[in-house]
Amino acid sequence: MAENIMKGQQNDLSSLMERAARRDCTVPFEGYSRDDGNIPGNILIVESGDCVYSFAKSDIMDRETLGEDRIRVHVREGATAFRLGRMRAGEPQDAFMVAMENIAPPMSPRVPGEPTPANGPVGLANAEAMEHIAPPPAMYVPGAPRYAAASGAPAQVARPQVLAPALSTVGSHWTNRCVAGDAFANNCAHFLSDAFIRAGYTELSDSNPHIEARCYTYARRPIRARNMWSWFKTKAVRTSNTPTQNTGWWAVFQLDESVYWGGHVVLFDSDSCAFYGTGWHGTWRQYMYQW
């Protein structure tokens, strides 16, 4: 009798471990589901009235029933899927452009006088599907800002502050990683938002109207450059479109929609001509904010 009970417990534990293993390296999606009548072998996940996904069933590693016909599916990270969104005829196809935010931008050519990394990774050159794909590495140009090395010290816990911390404080918290240890290939907003939060900008941790996507760990760091750009604009007391030395610290959004719709965020210390981030795209348009 006791042997049967122990065997049953072992089987239950093995089943749970197998299920947990299936969820490793997956991305969760929730919604109402049905088979995709247009693509055999695919399933539709209706997340909202404005967003519908079509995933290959072979890419779904696990699923949970949430009630009625609503489910949560765990899709293999890196899988190719379709996303449909609402649009109006005659207007820009933003629903399709947003998908580019998960794809790596092409390599940015360096121009004289722009910031350059001192060391550390500045992105991958391959292009896949957006938030999970690295932007291309920036090319070196003499005189450009250098990369400010990430601190090797343990991540510091953010302390609530009444006044907005100085941007230089954010630079001191830059570690080129997320405090929760997760990473996508495209980490510009992911890692920079981590530095902002640990420097004391707890408003990015809380519910925030500018932040629409976060990492999947307990840290819940913002991961979209355009979301950070929207937030930068609400904080700014000074703006510029030209990196100029000896003008202090700047939060920067870099953009060239012809090559990468999602844009790139980085912190720039003009006094030392150094940047804190996963790369510097000096040939793109510069949107600089200071507070």
Side-chain angles (χ1 to χ4, degrees):
M1 178 70 174
E3 291 181 357
N4 289 337
I5 294 175
M6 292 182 64
K7 185 175 182 180
Q9 291 175 339
Q10 290 175 347
N11 289 338
D12 289 343
L13 179 58
S14 297
S15 176
L16 291 174
M17 292 177 68
E18 289 175 3
R19 187 167 188 179
R22 287 198 302 271
R23 293 189 183 179
D24 288 344
C25 298
T26 64
V27 181
F29 293 86
E30 295 182 13
Y32 297 95
S33 68
R34 53 157 289 179
D35 286 343
D36 190 337
N38 295 311
I39 307 177
N42 273 31
I43 185 174
L44 293 176
I45 301 296
V46 181
E47 182 180 80
S48 68
D50 295 311
C51 188
V52 180
Y53 298 95
S54 178
F55 299 108
K57 294 179 180 178
S58 59
D59 288 326
I60 297 177
M61 309 308 294
D62 199 8
R63 66 179 69 194
E64 304 169 78
T65 300
L66 302 179
E68 299 180 0
D69 56 345
R70 188 175 179 85
I71 66 172
R72 178 185 296 120
V73 296
H74 295 265
V75 181
R76 177 176 56 83
E77 186 174 320
T80 299
F82 294 94
R83 182 171 69 175
L84 305 177
R86 199 180 297 272
M87 61 165 284
R88 289 187 177 90
E91 291 187 353
Q93 309 254 331
D94 290 339
F96 296 94
M97 296 298 289
V98 169
M100 285 189 65
E101 200 170 292
N102 297 315
I103 301 174
M107 181 178 295
S108 175
R110 290 281 186 175
V111 296
E114 74 178 15
T116 58
N119 53 48
V122 291
L124 303 177
N126 60 317
E128 299 172 18
M130 214 171 149
E131 267 144 28
H132 302 271
I133 306 300
M139 298 176 62
Y140 173 77
V141 169
R146 56 185 178 79
Y147 173 58
S151 168
Q156 302 177 31
V157 177
R159 296 180 180 178
Q161 300 185 27
V162 176
L163 300 176
L167 290 175
S168 58
T169 305
V170 180
S172 68
H173 283 77
W174 169 258
T175 56
N176 199 32
R177 60 181 178 269
C178 171
V179 71
D182 73 324
F184 304 136
N186 183 10
N187 284 308
C188 70
H190 188 186
F191 293 167
L192 190 62
S193 66
D194 179 83
F196 267 101
I197 290 169
R198 288 187 294 101
Y201 287 89
T202 55
E203 63 200 85
L204 288 173
S205 291
D206 302 330
S207 178
N208 189 306
H210 301 280
I211 307 304
E212 299 173 338
R214 298 178 180 272
C215 66
Y216 304 114
T217 70
Y218 70 86
R220 304 293 291 162
R221 294 324 197 207
I223 56 176
R224 289 183 180 168
R226 279 183 176 262
N227 288 179
M228 293 293 289
W229 183 26
S230 178
W231 178 71
F232 288 168
K233 288 186 282 189
T234 68
K235 306 291 292 183
V237 295
R238 286 175 295 278
T239 63
S240 176
N241 296 113
T242 305
T244 305
Q245 291 195 19
N246 300 315
T247 56
W249 288 71
W250 299 83
V252 184
F253 178 72
Q254 301 173 324
L255 179 67
D256 184 345
E257 289 189 349
S258 67
V259 294
Y260 188 60
W261 184 87
H264 178 76
V265 285
V266 62
L267 191 66
F268 174 49
D269 175 12
S270 69
D271 297 337
S272 65
C273 201
F275 69 84
Y276 297 76
T278 58
W280 180 272
H281 296 279
T283 60
W284 296 2
R285 184 169 177 77
Q286 310 293 307
Y287 298 88
M288 304 174 59
Y289 303 91
Q290 197 172 62
W291 57 88

